[in-house]
Amino acid sequence: MCGIAGIIGNHPTNLSELNGMLAEQKHRGPDATNTWSDGTVYLGHNRLSIIDLSDTANQPMISTCGNYVIVFNGEIYNYLELKNQLQAEYDFKTVSDTEVLLAAYIKWGVNMLEKLNGMFSFSIWNTQTKKLFVARDRFGVKPFYYCIFKSQFYFASEIKTLFAAGIPKNKNQKVWANYFSFGTYGLPDETFWEGIHQLSSGHFIELDALKLVSNDSIQPQKWYHFSERIAQIRQMNIQELKIAYEDLLKNAIQLRFRADVPLGMNVSGGLDSSTLISLVHQNLPSQKTIEAFTFYSNNEAYDELPWVDELMKKTPYHLNKVLLDYAEIPKLLKEVSHYQDEPYGGFPTIAYSLLFKEARKKGIKVLLDGQGMDEAWAGYDYYHNNTNSVIQGINSSPVRPEAIAQDFLNFASKEEYETPFDNQLQNLQYRDLFYTKIPRALRFNDRISMMHSTELREPFLDYRLVELAFAQPDLLKFQNGQTKWLLRDLVKKQLGETISLAPKRPLQTPQREWISNELRLYFESQIEHFKQLNFVNPSKVDLIWNDYLKGNQDNSFYIWQWVNCVSLLKK
């Protein structure tokens, strides 16, 4: 897990610009910062050392033949297996996964992407052909942002890194208008900032340094064909499926233990987290130790400590309990906004960030969590109740577009999502995996883990697990009023019925209550700032805010939008 950055072009200031970019994202990799250039391309890397802690594994890394240079962010979990296939043809100088990735590209080219099990974004420069190859993992766990500026190609792991190169910070008016109109966060290749793009998950780019003219000359190509892979999965009987899925669960966990640094895991009282704890307990190698982290807010209506405590009693692992104190919210909101660069998910995201901070204080660099089960097994209520919602557990609209001036709302253009399957449930799951839930959750999680120089691994997003669960018929996902039916049935023996059959709890913090009570003065001051923005309807904002204070609090997402917006747009 690291930060990457680069420039294709020959401006005389490129090296100093690259150094400024790397300084801006040093939190992603404080262990080493290095650059490489041949006058046509400038590559930079911030290293967070996880596998092979030696200096020889630093990046940018040059191939043994001298023809290729790589900068890589992420982990290739099956690098040992790939290395066995490559050893006869490549003279390895390190024991890093980076060198395995480089050797795999030299041997297989773009076809090596299908062989990778991991989270990654990387760039490989061919010094002979003057071409850059860029790729991103299947679900977009690791970020890759790029733009054309001053007739040059810039890329980085974070948006602020591009701003550090002098790229203007101008609103992408369509994405912002959609955010306020529909609560969406842009399409997979979009960002909230004009001219700055992201490489969509499961895509790659091949760039010819001699032919760069504009963004139109950049043509991302899909390499991960999810719907085609789902069509190839054969149906199994339930017993056979349980055995196959459980074997994959164990392997996914075991692969993600591969690290030369201490491990941790973020846990809650829910089914997915409980499954993670159980799998870790069953599969952690005897020579490794692990600590658990959870947050609480001292509000019994939201806190999951009783469930977490009960789960952890069955393991030898230390549980770190981290308090989310409402008095810290104003400072944390501003801090997390700086690292996110774009709107993010409210108090739960802030609370989650504290776990990484605590882990890093204890010297833990790698953490596991349970992201991905709900999308793979159709665990959200809106998959089954035909509400057309995209947020779990609310009964009212999460957005209030009337607070925004009509001329700004006119920029909105509702996103249309691909529907490659012949049934509604799988199309909704596909939407959440590739357009809505997972892309935004992974962005939130990448930034809050990296702001504290820690790596987050999501074993349940192992593509083999996602594909196998996704391909199952509706009846195995929802049965007798239970979501994630087969998963619950599978883990019932280890976890007991209290946990395995517990309904999903959608809210994690007392955000709604704190906004109107303990944090009312702070939120009112920020709403005043929001009203000063030139695309806001101040009188409507006042009406909506007063209505909220009077108790119309089914959800607080739109209030959060306003204050989060101020933290991102305020000069």
Side-chain angles (χ1 to χ4, degrees), residues 313-496:
K313 280 178 189 172
K314 301 172 184 175
T315 77
Y317 313 131
H318 176 64
L319 175 63
N320 298 272
K321 303 171 185 179
V322 182
L323 174 66
L324 175 66
D325 183 348
Y326 71 83
E328 295 292 309
I329 292 288
K331 176 175 73 74
L332 292 169
L333 190 158
K334 184 177 180 182
E335 184 181 347
V336 174
S337 293
H338 169 73
Y339 287 97
Q340 288 285 335
D341 295 321
E342 298 180 287
Y344 62 96
F347 290 11
T349 304
I350 291 173
Y352 201 41
S353 74
L354 297 176
L355 304 189
F356 298 99
K357 182 178 183 180
E358 184 66 20
R360 184 66 196 204
K361 269 199 252 176
K362 302 194 77 172
I364 292 170
K365 275 188 176 182
V366 172
L367 294 110
L368 280 64
D369 85 353
Q371 184 76 48
M373 282 291 199
D374 285 307
E375 293 76 14
W377 282 109
Y380 296 116
D381 57 7
Y382 58 74
Y383 287 138
H384 312 288
N385 59 17
N386 297 315
T387 61
N388 292 320
S389 175
V390 291
I391 298 178
Q392 166 93 2
I394 66 170
N395 301 307
S396 58
S397 172
V399 292
R400 300 298 294 269
E402 65 268 33
I404 307 301
Q406 187 58 52
D407 59 348
F408 192 79
L409 291 179
N410 289 340
F411 290 113
S413 174
K414 190 167 177 60
E415 291 95 343
E416 293 185 9
Y417 306 125
E418 186 185 3
T419 54
F421 298 96
D422 62 4
N423 63 89
Q424 183 184 24
L425 180 57
Q426 285 187 319
N427 282 327
L428 287 175
Q429 290 179 266
Y430 185 82
R431 177 200 68 185
D432 281 3
L433 275 170
F434 293 100
Y435 290 97
T436 55
K437 285 276 189 186
I438 287 296
R440 69 175 182 248
L442 292 177
R443 192 252 294 171
F444 300 165
N445 292 350
D446 174 80
R447 302 308 181 278
I448 58 175
S449 61
M450 294 310 299
M451 71 185 277
H452 297 297
S453 305
T454 54
E455 172 174 289
L456 179 62
R457 298 179 175 183
E458 282 120 345
F460 299 154
L461 277 176
D462 186 303
Y463 72 96
R464 302 167 301 167
L465 284 172
V466 175
E467 290 173 1
L468 185 56
F470 188 101
Q472 299 313 308
D474 293 6
L475 190 63
L476 296 186
K477 297 172 184 174
F478 187 73
Q479 194 175 126
N480 300 324
Q482 288 286 350
T483 59
K484 297 188 282 195
W485 180 82
L486 187 128
L487 177 65
R488 292 177 190 275
D489 195 61
L490 182 66
V491 300
K492 195 160 42 179
K493 190 182 292 183
Q494 288 89 9
L495 301 179

Side-chain angles (χ1 to χ4, degrees), residues 526-542:
Q526 297 306 298
I527 288 169
E528 285 303 312
H529 287 301
F530 180 70
K531 286 160 57 180
Q532 304 307 310
L533 297 173
N534 62 8
F535 56 84
V536 173
N537 186 332
S539 61
K540 290 289 187 184
V541 169
D542 285 334

Side-chain angles (χ1 to χ4, degrees), residues 196-336:
I196 296 177
H197 308 271
Q198 56 178 323
L199 179 60
S200 298
S201 64
H203 282 67
F204 70 89
I205 302 172
E206 291 182 297
L207 289 172
D208 187 332
L210 304 177
K211 295 180 181 177
L212 280 176
V213 180
S214 67
N215 281 318
D216 294 334
S217 65
I218 300 168
Q219 300 293 330
Q221 299 177 61
K222 182 184 281 193
W223 67 266
Y224 182 44
H225 302 280
F226 181 79
S227 57
E228 294 173 18
R229 290 182 62 87
I230 296 301
Q232 294 167 7
I233 294 176
R234 71 176 183 86
Q235 293 302 305
M236 311 176 197
N237 64 51
I238 288 184
Q239 200 53 41
E240 188 183 8
L241 176 61
K242 283 183 178 179
I243 292 169
Y245 189 75
E246 192 167 18
D247 286 347
L248 284 179
L249 273 174
K250 290 175 181 177
N251 184 251
I253 288 282
Q254 290 162 355
L255 286 178
R256 283 155 184 80
F257 289 146
R258 290 178 172 176
D260 297 327
V261 295
L263 301 169
M265 57 180 169
N266 295 336
V267 300
S268 67
L271 173 65
D272 304 345
S273 202
S274 305
T275 303
L276 176 67
I277 294 167
S278 177
L279 285 163
V280 167
H281 189 35
Q282 293 171 43
N283 294 282
L284 187 71
S286 57
Q287 74 274 18
K288 286 186 179 285
T289 59
I290 196 166
E291 292 196 28
F293 297 83
T294 194
F295 68 79
Y296 67 103
S297 61
N298 272 335
N299 185 314
E300 290 182 0
Y302 295 94
D303 289 344
E304 299 188 339
L305 276 182
W307 291 278
V308 177
D309 276 331
E310 194 61 35
L311 281 165
M312 295 307 298
K313 280 178 189 172
K314 301 172 184 175
T315 77
Y317 313 131
H318 176 64
L319 175 63
N320 298 272
K321 303 171 185 179
V322 182
L323 174 66
L324 175 66
D325 183 348
Y326 71 83
E328 295 292 309
I329 292 288
K331 176 175 73 74
L332 292 169
L333 190 158
K334 184 177 180 182
E335 184 181 347
V336 174

Side-chain angles (χ1 to χ4, degrees), residues 150-174:
K150 299 185 298 189
S151 299
Q152 299 193 124
F153 178 77
Y154 289 75
F155 71 86
S157 294
E158 297 192 8
I159 293 172
K160 71 175 68 60
T161 310
L162 297 175
F163 293 151
I167 291 154
K169 186 178 180 179
N170 297 322
K171 292 193 301 295
N172 182 328
Q173 293 177 309
K174 187 203 93 169

